Structures are given as C-alpha cells and as structure tokens.
Amino acid sequence: MPSLSPYPAAPGVPGVLPTLSGYAGLLTSRNSVGETHLLIGASPLAASRLQKSLDAGAKVILISPPTELPYSIQTHINSGTVIWHQRSFTSTDLTTLGRQEVENIVDLVWIVSHPDAAEISRHCRRLRVPVNVVDKPELCSFTLLASYTQGPLQIGVTTQGNGCKLASRIRREIVAGLPAGLGDACARIGKLRRRLIEEAGETPIDDADEATDQTATFNNFVTEGEEKTRRVRWLSQICEYWPLEKLVGLDMEALEGFHAEDIQAPAATTEGKRGTIALIGAGPGHPELLTTASLRAMETADLVLADKLVPAAVLELIPRRTPVFIAKKFPGNAEAAQEELLARGLAALKEGQTVVRLKQGDPYIYGRGGEEYLFFEKHGYVPKVLPGVTSALSAPMFAAIPATQRGVSDQVLICTGTGRKGEPPVPPEYVATRTTVFLMALHRIDKLVEELGTKGWPMDTPCAVVERASCADQRVVRTTLGVVGAAIEEVGSRPPGLLVVGKACGVLKGGWGEKGWVVEEGFDGF
Ligand code: SAH
C-alpha cells in the first residue's frame, strides 16, 4: 500500500541510521540535569563522554567488566560521582537503571566499546533513547559537537562526519574571534534583561528565532514611549548593534540610572568602563607602513596622543570624531610637552576612555616608549604596546641600502647622535663589517664626524643621509663620511632624517659624482 505520509520514507538499510546527506542535523541544547546516562565500556574515550554527561548535570552509570580504568574515571568512581556496575551489559539495563519518573528507562547511552553495539543501538532507538556509538556514525542517533563553553555561552560546531579535526579547527577560529569574557557578559546581560522585563511587566520579542519578525521601526533607536519597556528594547538593541567588545565592557551597575538619551551618547559606552591605553608605532611615515593592529587601534580610540613627527598622511586615518592631541615638542619644551601629554592621557584613562599614544616608527626605539609604559603602569594602567616599522631599518632599505650583506656587513648598530640633555653620546667603535645607523644626528653632523674620526673611522667610509623616508618628499644623499658635512651644508636639511654609515651603503648603488655626493629625490611608493 503506498504511504500516505507527505514525507519521504527514511532511506537506508533497516537497523542502520540513514545518512544526513542533504539534510541538516537538528542542533539543540539538551537539558540533562538529573538524567541518568549509561556508559557502556571503558577506555580513554569513555572518560571524555563521561565528562560531557557530568558537565551537563546527568548521573552516569558505567557498565564494564572489571578492568583497569582510565585515571579520571577511577577518580570519579572513588569519589562516588559515577557508579560502576562491574559486569557485562545486559539489555534490561536500558529499562531498569533509569529514573523512576520515566519508568526506569535510561535517558541517554554512550557505547564506547561493545561487540553488540549495533544491536544495543537498535534497542535504544526502539526505546527512543538517544544513543552514540564511538566511531560508528551509522549507529548514532546523535553526535557530539566540537564545543566551547564559557559561562552560559556555548558554541558547537559540526561538519556532520566530514572531519572532527576540521570541526575543532573551525571552532577554534570562531572562538579566537570573540572577545575574552563574552560568556560572563552573556550572564550579566541576561541578568539585567530578566530584571528589566520583570520591572516592565511584559515579555519583549527579541529571541534569535523571532528576529525575522522585525518591524520597519526595529532599526530605529528607542527614543520615546514608556520608560520601563524602553529599557528592555534598548537592551535588545545594543545586543544587536554594539560591538561585542563594548558589550563585554558594559558595566551593569552603571546602567542603573539609564535614560534613553544615553543610547548614542559616548557616556553610555565609557561610563563605568575601565580606561585602556595602547602605545603604538606609526611606522616611518607612509600610511601603508602602519600595521593593521595599529590602524585598528587608531580607529577605535576615544583619544589619540600623537608625536609631532607623525606625518599628516597617518593622522588622516584617525576618524574625524576622535580628538587628536599633538605633543608641542620644540627645543627647550620637550620635557614640559611630554608631561602635558602624559597628564592628558591619564585624565582620559580615568574617565574610562580608550587612549592611543601614537609614536613615530617603533615605540621602543628612541621613542621614550619604555618611560611612558612605566608612567602609565605606575598609575594602574598597563599599556598594550604595538610595534611599528622603525625608521632605523626601513629608511636604509628605502635608500637601497641592505643593512646586512654577505661578505660586506654582518651586523647593524642603531644609535643616537644626540645624548640626554643635548650632551654628545660616546661615539661607537669602528667595525669594518658593521652598518651603523645614527638617529637624531644630522643637526650636529660635523661634530659627530669629528668624534668618529678620533675613534679611527676611515673618512672614505660610504654613508648616506636618508630624510623623510617613505614620504613623497624622501631625499637620499649618498656620499662618504669625510664629505657628508659639506653635502648637508649645501643641500640643507629636511627633517626627520638619519645617517647610515658602512660599506653596505655602496653595495647596491655607488659612485659619488664629481662633487663627492649625489642626491636622489622622491619616493616611488609600493
Ligand atoms: N621611534 C622612531 C625614532 C624616533 S627618534 C623609529 O623607530 O623610527 C626620531 C628620529 O628618527 C629622527 O631624528 C630621525 O633620525 C629618525 N626618523 C624618524 N622617521 C624618519 C624618516 N621617515 N626618515 C628618516 N629618519 C627618520
């Protein structure tokens, strides 16, 4: 007789479950608290199944003849959290070991190892008991998900038998993209939501499955209506639209005195939030030399404190709404400017703002980054430090000078031409196979060359002055140590610039022309 059912008959071999191909598994979260789960067979895999059941609040009964158990299972048995029937499985176990409430039928069965797994699986299914058989998907009425749990937040991934390693990898990637503490945030938001609903005395619709019922006004921020229901709707809206990081940082206590106007006001996002600071490197000048980490930090900052040296092309990437404070560093004011900048940063941190300290090049290479780190740490705000492309290594590169080159230069020294409080620093030794980069040196180039001379540096050592590296007006002067002072005097200076000295300067490009120096203008871009 033809079936009257509108659904196709389940395909496959009788007794064996049909494959899912073409269908989707029904993903659910099962409440197993107080259930009785049966574990048939003992092996290290049994331990992980057992733990899943215990985590879910079920009681576990292990059925296995006497054997040496995996350590974790034995521990559970010793402490009484798991009961072990030391014998072989019999089919009546399925209908006698369960809870009274469900006529002693067990609630779920894990078969880890048993020669009659197929028969037991069939029996379970006749009883409508969910069953899972290790490595036998065709005997499983349910399978496990690669899962992640943090507080009430659970994430599960399945590829439906197409690779559990792949599923775990996908789960890891998903989890890595989430802010830390999201599960705790779910708990806090849930608590607030329940309280607001209680106060409002109604049940708002904002469950995931009902989101398709959104009305045309759903996207509009709440602005009017009854205060109490507005709070509930506001909460569901921020859950929908706010970046997860902001939801994680949301301080529920701070929302006590919530008003609808707060929704878009910055106060709602920073109030009660702890300030954070990042010291970030802007690179030598060209905006494409910013790292994506630095760019993201600039884009999400509430306040940017920038060095005077950071070029406009980089500053332009800061969103217009974000206030930018540029250090007023000029000769004689360096200390005062630094103090003012740090004070501003600290004040903003105390207001709960996200502060970015934007520094030229790399923050720790002659950028006082370490001092700033200590300052903010002392005041209770430990900075995140993001590296930057340092001019010390990139400026030579943009001038076609390989800092190391086999047979020519096997080491690089980065040093400064200016010491503390303007004192000349001790000049470095001459090493024939070394490339030496002097930052902050060009304003006293004659003095520096003289000092190097006294240390035995040959005056015919190739060198280059690289200015505004990676900027449109980049300039390179190639010459030798004995002539570099005269060259700078003639061509003038175009700060910021540095001096590179060593044979590597003559490797890719050579010849100093009639004057003893050649000048190259411009930056080609990437
Ligand atoms: N933290 C920075 C250096 C700060 S000290 C970095 O890692 O690059 C400032 C000195 O850096 C300047 O005096 C100059 O010598 C050098 N400098 C910075 N940007 C430069 C650029 N685009 N081209 C050449 N030199 C640069």
Side-chain angles (χ1 to χ4, degrees):
M1 198 180 106
S3 165
L4 293 177
S5 164
Y7 304 105
V13 186
V16 167
L17 276 121
T19 64
L20 262 178
S21 66
Y23 294 96
L26 181 66
L27 295 186
T28 56
S29 166
R30 181 184 168 105
N31 181 345
S32 289
V33 178
E35 288 187 348
T36 301
H37 293 181
L38 215 59
L39 182 61
I40 303 174
S43 75
L45 268 178
S48 72
R49 303 298 189 269
L50 180 150
Q51 196 57 50
K52 294 263 177 208
S53 289
L54 291 179
D55 289 346
K59 295 196 185 83
V60 182
I61 299 175
L62 166 68
I63 304 198
S64 158
T67 175
E68 187 166 341
L69 293 176
Y71 176 77
S72 64
I73 301 188
Q74 188 62 57
T75 316
H76 282 303
I77 287 165
N78 295 348
S79 68
T81 40
V82 171
I83 296 165
W84 181 14
H85 291 309
Q86 298 192 32
R87 56 170 171 75
S88 298
F89 170 81
T90 66
S91 60
T92 51
D93 288 338
L94 296 179
T95 49
T96 55
L97 296 178
R99 299 173 290 146
Q100 252 181 358
E101 186 191 342
V102 289
E103 274 105 48
N104 306 322
I105 298 175
V106 297
D107 295 293
L108 185 142
V109 173
W110 304 107
I111 306 176
V112 177
S113 60
H114 199 283
D116 299 328
E119 185 48 46
I120 306 172
S121 160
R122 243 187 316 255
H123 191 183
C124 288
R125 284 178 276 137
R126 277 201 300 276
L127 292 168
R128 315 292 189 271
V129 173
V131 58
N132 177 282
V133 185
V134 165
D135 287 339
K136 293 266 187 305
E138 71 281 9
L139 299 178
C140 297
S141 65
F142 74 96
T143 53
L144 281 174
L145 308 183
S147 64
Y148 166 82
T149 303
Q150 207 246 319
L153 173 67
Q154 290 191 277
I155 294 169
V157 174
T158 174
T159 60
Q160 298 301 0
N162 289 293
C164 53
K165 285 244 160 42
L166 182 58
S168 316
R169 161 82 198 282
I170 294 171
R171 180 217 47 202
R172 277 205 312 278
E173 298 266 326
I174 293 171
V175 171
L178 298 173
L182 187 56
D184 299 332
C186 291
R188 287 199 303 275
I189 290 168
K191 194 170 149 202
L192 177 69
R193 183 171 177 270
R194 282 187 294 278
R195 207 192 71 209
L196 294 182
I197 289 171
E198 203 175 291
E199 284 172 9
E202 65 161 89
T203 314
I205 297 170
D206 76 342
D207 284 342
D209 288 347
E210 280 152 303
T212 44
D213 289 350
Q214 287 169 12
T215 60
T217 55
F218 188 88
N219 285 337
N220 297 340
F221 274 114
V222 186
T223 47
E224 42 189 55
E226 223 262 298
E227 176 80 7
K228 283 175 179 164
T229 48
R230 275 192 297 150
R231 290 183 183 201
V232 182
R233 287 184 54 207
W234 170 80
L235 187 63
S236 77
Q237 285 180 344
I238 66 160
C239 287
E240 180 88 5
Y241 297 115
W242 270 18
L244 289 178
E245 285 77 7
K246 280 212 193 301
L247 283 179
V248 167
L250 195 64
D251 182 340
M252 294 303 151
E253 302 309 314
L255 294 176
E256 291 288 331
F258 156 79
H259 296 292
E261 307 80 77
D262 292 343
I263 294 167
Q264 283 154 309
T269 63
T270 55
E271 205 177 283
K273 213 179 97 183
R274 193 164 163 70
T276 60
I277 172 134
L279 305 181
I280 74 173
H286 196 289
E288 285 182 35
L289 296 172
L290 272 167
T291 63
T292 44
S294 290
L295 183 60
R296 199 172 307 131
M298 280 163 56
E299 286 170 347
T300 51
D302 295 320
L303 170 69
V304 176
L305 306 169
D307 270 349
K308 188 184 70 175
L309 275 184
V310 177
V314 171
L315 295 178
E316 272 165 21
L317 298 175
I318 301 168
R320 272 163 188 263
R321 61 172 187 278
T322 313
V324 180
F325 176 77
I326 300 174
K328 297 188 201 85
K329 284 192 190 166
F330 49 83
N333 190 46
E335 285 310 316
Q338 180 74 3
E339 275 167 30
E340 182 185 8
L341 191 121
L342 295 179
R344 285 211 177 212
L346 192 57
L349 284 169
K350 287 182 176 160
E351 285 171 16
Q353 296 193 20
T354 302
V355 180
V356 157
R357 174 76 177 98
L358 182 61
K359 303 178 79 68
Q360 167 83 349
D362 182 275
Y364 281 171
I365 301 289
Y366 297 117
R368 303 184 69 162
E371 289 168 45
E372 294 184 10
Y373 182 101
L374 292 172
F375 172 85
F376 289 114
E377 186 194 44
K378 190 176 79 190
H379 288 91
Y381 300 91
V382 179
K384 267 214 166 69
V385 187
L386 305 181
V389 173
T390 178
S391 63
L393 294 175
S394 62
M397 195 212 78
F398 289 124
I401 299 167
T404 69
Q405 170 83 5
R406 200 137 58 114
V408 179
S409 166
D410 56 13
Q411 49 184 275
V412 187
L413 175 69
I414 299 172
C415 51
T416 172
T418 309
R420 282 203 83 181
K421 303 203 166 94
E423 292 286 303
V426 179
E429 301 298 317
Y430 174 69
V431 178
T433 60
R434 178 189 277 172
T435 305
T436 306
V437 185
F438 294 90
L439 278 68
M440 299 179 277
L442 300 179
H443 62 283
R444 56 180 294 272
I445 188 76
D446 291 333
K447 258 332 248 152
L448 177 68
V449 171
E450 196 185 309
E451 287 158 13
L452 296 178
T454 62
K455 284 263 187 170
W457 288 62
M459 286 298 120
D460 62 353
T461 309
C463 69
V465 172
V466 190
E467 294 166 293
R468 301 191 56 78
S470 83
C471 301
D473 52 354
Q474 171 179 305
R475 181 173 68 180
V476 182
V477 180
R478 297 178 200 282
T479 180
T480 50
L481 212 44
V483 191
V484 66
I488 290 178
E489 200 178 317
E490 184 169 314
V491 301
S493 72
R494 197 178 285 178
L498 50 72
L499 175 73
V500 197
V501 193
K503 296 204 178 81
C505 294
V507 168
L508 302 185
K509 296 201 174 183
W512 324 125
E514 275 172 25
K515 277 186 159 170
W517 68 79
V518 290
V519 180
E520 290 164 11
E521 287 276 358
F523 176 69
D524 286 348
F526 297 105

